């Protein structure tokens, strides 16, 4: 039998293994100090003010849409040339995905066709950077500003890409990355949402952890408090420290 060639074998070294083992020995394996450190180091790496770690890119896209106020009756323009999650997240938010065709040479969302697809119900745009090649963001952002739309970049393929001197992750109100097993940086499963907006960061963090005012690390450590409030009807989208342990080392090797 011929040797099987995997699509993308994860590049895991002893450094990642040691960090995961150290996490297991620490006694803290869910969202905690390593997740917080991963968020901070990732934000610095791409040049964003904030980064919020999540359980998957799909979860991140859904959170970003909810944080942007997208809901029933709204339309979100995206591309048909992408993984199912880009449109599925729109449906999860209760909105309607509007699929706009792509450019012939890049397979990215076509700004000219995008402009024609915007209606009075359009609330957001999800451009997808196919194979790490950024979309024509100047054209997309121009349409968004003119129509008052929120741009949420699906950057699942796009770490560490840049567009005209700007790192992907710093261009739009929110950008969502994937750390799936086949990505340049992997945590097995996982993702990250970057933003420069303090209010969006807070909404992402609260919606992504059951709508609670404090996560586990803020409640169960010596300096924490058991008390919390339910602020929103949130979701279970947090990243664990086991995943973040992989991410911290992968990020340094990126």
């Amino acid at each position: 039998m011929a040797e099987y060639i995997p699509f993308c074998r994860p590049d895991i070294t002893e450094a990642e293994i040691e960090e995961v083992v150290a996490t297991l020995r620490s006694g803290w394996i869910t969202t905690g100090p390593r997740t917080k450190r991963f968020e901070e180091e990732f934000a610095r790496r791409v040049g964003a003010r904030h980064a919020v770690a999540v359980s998957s890119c799909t979860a991140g896209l859904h959170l970003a849409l909810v944080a942007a106020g997208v809901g029933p009756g709204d339309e979100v323009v995206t591309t048909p040339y992408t993984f199912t999650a880009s449109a599925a997240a729109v449906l999860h938010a209760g909105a309607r995905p509007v699929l706009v065709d792509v450019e012939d040479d890049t397979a990215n969302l076509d700004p000219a066709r995008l402009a024609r697809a915007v209606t009075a119900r359009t609330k957001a745009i999800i451009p997808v950077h196919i194979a790490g090649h950024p979309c024509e963001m100047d054209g997309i952002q121009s349409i968004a500003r003119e129509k008052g739309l929120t741009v949420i970049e699906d950057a699942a393929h796009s770490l560490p890409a840049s567009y005209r001197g700007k790192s992907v992750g710093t261009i739009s109100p929110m950008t969502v990355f994937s750390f799936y097993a086949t990505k340049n940086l992997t945590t097995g499963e996982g993702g990250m949402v970057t933003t420069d907006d303090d209010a969006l960061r807070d909404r992402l963090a609260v919606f992504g952890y059951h709508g609670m005012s404090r996560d586990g690390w803020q409640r169960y450590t010596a300096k924490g408090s058991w008390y919390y409030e339910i602020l929103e009807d949130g979701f279970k989208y947090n990243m664990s420290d086991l995943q973040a342990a992989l991410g911290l080392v992968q990020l340094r090797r990126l």
Side-chain angles (χ1 to χ4, degrees):
M1 180 178 177
E3 181 183 357
Y4 173 71
I5 301 175
F7 169 66
C8 185
R9 191 188 301 277
D11 187 357
I12 303 296
T13 68
E14 284 301 315
E16 282 92 341
I17 294 168
E18 289 170 7
E19 188 67 28
V20 170
V21 171
T23 306
L24 291 169
R25 287 177 173 158
S26 75
W28 193 277
I29 58 175
T30 186
T31 306
R34 282 177 171 81
T35 304
K36 301 305 179 188
R37 207 161 78 236
F38 185 33
E39 290 174 332
E40 292 166 1
E41 292 187 16
F42 190 89
R44 280 197 298 272
R45 175 65 176 79
V46 301
R49 186 168 182 177
H50 305 292
V52 178
V54 289
S55 55
S56 69
C57 184
T58 308
L61 288 168
H62 183 206
L63 273 185
L65 288 163
V66 172
V70 173
D74 294 330
E75 294 178 349
V76 178
V77 179
T78 190
T79 168
Y81 193 72
T82 180
F83 186 58
T84 182
S86 304
V90 178
L91 294 171
H92 296 333
R96 176 177 176 266
V98 175
L99 304 181
V100 169
D101 209 351
V102 299
E103 298 173 326
D104 294 338
D105 55 346
T106 67
N108 282 332
L109 185 66
D110 186 332
R113 291 184 173 111
L114 165 64
R116 295 194 293 270
V118 172
T119 72
R121 292 189 173 187
T122 307
K123 191 73 174 282
I125 306 167
I126 300 180
V128 181
H129 306 310
I130 292 298
H133 184 105
C135 295
E136 186 51 58
M137 293 307 300
D138 284 352
I140 292 170
Q141 294 285 8
S142 176
I143 295 164
R145 284 192 298 270
E146 180 185 347
K147 302 295 184 179
L149 309 176
T150 301
V151 178
I152 300 166
E153 294 175 52
D154 182 335
H157 293 185
S158 304
L159 184 70
S162 61
Y163 171 80
R164 298 189 176 181
K166 293 181 179 180
S167 294
V168 170
T170 65
I171 300 165
S172 298
M174 288 176 281
T175 304
V176 190
F177 295 89
S178 173
F179 305 141
Y180 182 63
T182 57
K183 298 302 188 290
N184 289 351
L185 183 160
T186 185
T187 59
E189 298 282 354
M192 192 78 77
V193 186
T194 59
T195 182
D196 286 341
D197 187 303
D198 295 349
L200 282 176
R201 184 268 165 202
D202 292 344
R203 285 174 65 79
L204 289 164
V206 169
F207 274 117
Y209 199 88
H210 296 293
M212 295 170 64
S213 58
R214 287 191 177 97
D215 62 24
W217 182 247
Q218 294 168 317
R219 300 198 316 277
Y220 298 135
T221 57
K223 295 181 180 179
S225 168
W226 65 270
Y227 182 83
Y228 63 90
E229 296 280 357
I230 299 298
L231 306 176
E232 301 283 357
D233 180 16
F235 310 95
K236 180 70 165 124
Y237 283 163
N238 55 301
M239 176 181 281
S240 75
D241 266 21
L242 285 172
Q243 294 167 297
L246 272 173
L248 281 165
V249 179
Q250 289 265 295
L251 185 62
R252 292 167 199 156
R253 298 178 55 225
L254 185 65

